[in-house]
Amino acid sequence: MKKYFPLLVAAVTIILLLSSTFSSCEKANSNGRNKTAIKKTKADSLKTTKTSLLDTINYKKRMAVLSNGDTTGKWPVKTAYPLPGALLPYKRIIAFYGNLYSKRMGILGELPKNEMLKKLKDEVALWKAADTTLETVAALHYIAVTAQGKNGSGNNYRLRMPFKQIDTVMAWAKEIDALVFLDIQVGQSTVKDEIAMLTDYLKLSNVHLGIDPEFSMKNGEIPGSKIGTMSANDINDAITFLTTLVKENNLPPKVLIVHRFTKKMITDYEKIKPTPQVQVVIDMDGFGSKELKRATWLRTIYPEPVQFTGFKLFYKNDTEGKNEMYTPQELLQFIPKPIYIQYQ
């Protein structure tokens, strides 16, 4: 997927001009979070896990539908049953991705708030019409930690966004009853360290997590100089953290999105262990023609099943020249059917 990389490198470096502005924000985030907004949102959204038992027969039927007739035995994946209250496979999530400080990192941040939210609701409606068997829900997928091409105060080639920006996204999501995903690009930091900074938000029942192996630099490389990687251990660190959070706070299961467009971005995939508390989606990242994206799916997503699948669509980069973006109807023909759709 070399075609993808130059523009993705540009996305990494777009926030560099803001680094000086954020140097004090990281310190403020570490030492004194905005508790007021969190407490208010927690009071509105925190829900206890249902005590009823999961209908395993219904769950299996829904997983079989998602497998879309696969005859290889790869799909559906046999993993732990989720706790009652799980989002998947009962709902399809339609997410807008981006960062409020950059118009080049995604539709979330590119458009003014009201225009963006209307466009998201329109996409949700299209998916709802395309597949009436699943409830369709909106989500805002916000990049809360951005990889950097130059080192900053954290000395890890990553920049943590100010919590007030997360609070803004939370407020926007509440207006349309949407989920929130907080995405981290660790740079030379670690999954454990970056997730820990978001604990108060992840304790909220409507907040979930995304991690991006592309910007995980294992050997001291600078983000953007090469495509990064995460091992099953890195991903399991996120699963373990979220599992503990769900247990300790009596939350419904969390969804973990892991982006991928090359084989090496995720290693030892068979050792990734979803739990009843955490559902894992491998999200097919990368842009290009339909043919290129389908080839990536067949090379990196279909043959290495973890649990659920997602698909990213790029409003601009998927439509260069004579290319057209995949429609919901076309993506529903994929094996397996993606249950998380992200627009950038």
Side-chain angles (χ1 to χ4, degrees):
M1 293 297 257
K2 291 182 179 178
K3 181 178 179 181
Y4 298 167
F5 201 52
L7 288 177
L8 289 168
V9 171
V12 179
T13 57
I14 192 65
I15 301 182
L16 286 176
L17 294 176
L18 299 168
S19 294
S20 59
T21 303
F22 288 153
S23 60
S24 60
C25 289
E26 282 209 10
K27 184 179 294 184
N29 283 350
S30 299
N31 298 329
R33 304 172 187 180
N34 187 346
K35 299 289 187 179
T36 303
I38 293 175
K39 287 180 180 178
K40 183 177 180 181
T41 307
K42 188 169 185 176
D44 291 336
S45 67
L46 187 58
K47 300 176 182 178
T48 57
T49 304
K50 296 179 181 179
T51 56
S52 60
L53 297 176
L54 182 78
D55 183 344
T56 57
I57 294 177
N58 179 264
Y59 176 84
K60 288 179 179 179
K61 286 181 178 178
R62 289 177 178 272
M63 293 297 285
V65 170
L66 282 182
S67 70
N68 214 10
D70 182 56
T71 58
T72 66
K74 291 180 178 293
W75 304 92
V77 187
K78 295 180 177 63
T79 60
Y81 289 121
L83 295 176
L87 288 167
L88 311 177
Y90 309 99
K91 299 179 181 182
R92 177 169 283 111
I93 301 167
I94 312 300
F96 270 14
Y97 172 95
N99 180 282
L100 300 189
Y101 284 111
S102 172
K103 294 185 177 182
R104 296 183 61 186
M105 295 184 77
I107 195 72
L108 174 59
E110 178 181 352
L111 297 181
K113 169 200 159 188
N114 290 337
E115 184 180 349
M116 181 272 297
L117 292 179
K118 181 182 182 303
K119 189 175 182 68
L120 174 56
K121 288 190 288 186
D122 289 344
E123 295 291 4
V124 170
L126 289 175
W127 276 95
K128 183 177 181 179
D131 185 359
T132 60
T133 66
L134 284 181
E135 182 180 348
T136 307
V137 296
L140 298 180
H141 194 124
Y142 165 72
I143 311 167
V145 181
T146 63
Q148 298 292 293
K150 293 183 180 179
N151 214 349
S153 59
N155 202 38
N156 284 312
Y157 289 88
R158 59 93 183 97
L159 189 64
R160 295 168 177 162
M161 298 295 104
F163 286 120
K164 65 180 181 180
Q165 198 181 86
I166 300 180
D167 297 336
T168 297
V169 173
M170 295 287 293
W172 291 2
K174 185 177 179 181
E175 289 186 27
I176 60 169
D177 196 25
L179 304 171
V180 173
F181 285 82
L182 300 180
D183 204 275
I184 59 174
Q185 302 172 355
V186 300
Q188 293 181 14
S189 183
T190 66
V191 169
K192 283 183 178 180
D193 286 347
E194 298 311 313
I195 297 178
M197 297 298 298
L198 301 172
T199 298
D200 287 338
Y201 290 102
L202 292 168
K203 286 181 181 179
L204 305 177
S205 62
N206 67 324
V207 179
H208 303 269
L209 182 67
I211 55 178
D212 199 341
E214 180 186 357
F215 303 109
S216 173
M217 303 290 110
K218 297 295 187 185
N219 300 303
E221 303 97 343
I222 297 174
S225 64
K226 63 177 292 186
I227 297 173
T229 184
M230 283 186 182
S231 67
N233 287 339
D234 295 315
I235 297 167
N236 285 335
D237 281 344
I239 293 172
T240 298
F241 183 94
L242 293 175
T243 296
T244 300
L245 212 60
V246 168
K247 288 180 177 178
E248 291 181 348
N249 295 277
N250 196 27
L251 300 171
K254 295 292 184 182
V255 177
L256 173 65
I257 306 297
V258 187
H259 305 292
R260 186 181 199 185
F261 60 86
T262 72
K263 284 271 193 179
K264 293 182 179 180
M265 281 175 68
I266 297 176
T267 58
D268 301 324
Y269 80 94
E270 68 280 357
K271 295 180 181 178
I272 299 172
K273 300 300 181 184
T275 67
Q277 295 80 15
V278 181
Q279 302 186 286
V280 180
V281 177
I282 306 300
D283 177 43
M284 208 291 282
D285 204 339
F287 53 81
S289 67
K290 290 181 180 178
E291 294 77 14
L292 181 59
K293 293 179 75 113
R294 183 169 182 82
T296 302
W297 178 273
L298 293 174
R299 185 173 62 252
T300 63
I301 306 299
Y302 173 76
E304 298 192 351
V306 176
Q307 191 174 26
F308 297 96
T309 62
F311 202 96
K312 182 182 281 191
L313 295 165
F314 292 77
Y315 282 114
K316 294 180 179 178
N317 302 126
D318 283 354
T319 58
E320 290 182 346
K322 296 182 179 181
N323 293 334
E324 295 181 351
M325 196 166 65
Y326 270 114
T327 66
Q329 291 81 1
E330 290 171 328
L331 287 179
L332 289 172
Q333 302 305 311
F334 274 53
I335 299 175
K337 297 178 184 180
I339 200 165
Y340 171 85
I341 307 295
Q342 185 179 94
Y343 288 88
Q344 182 167 338

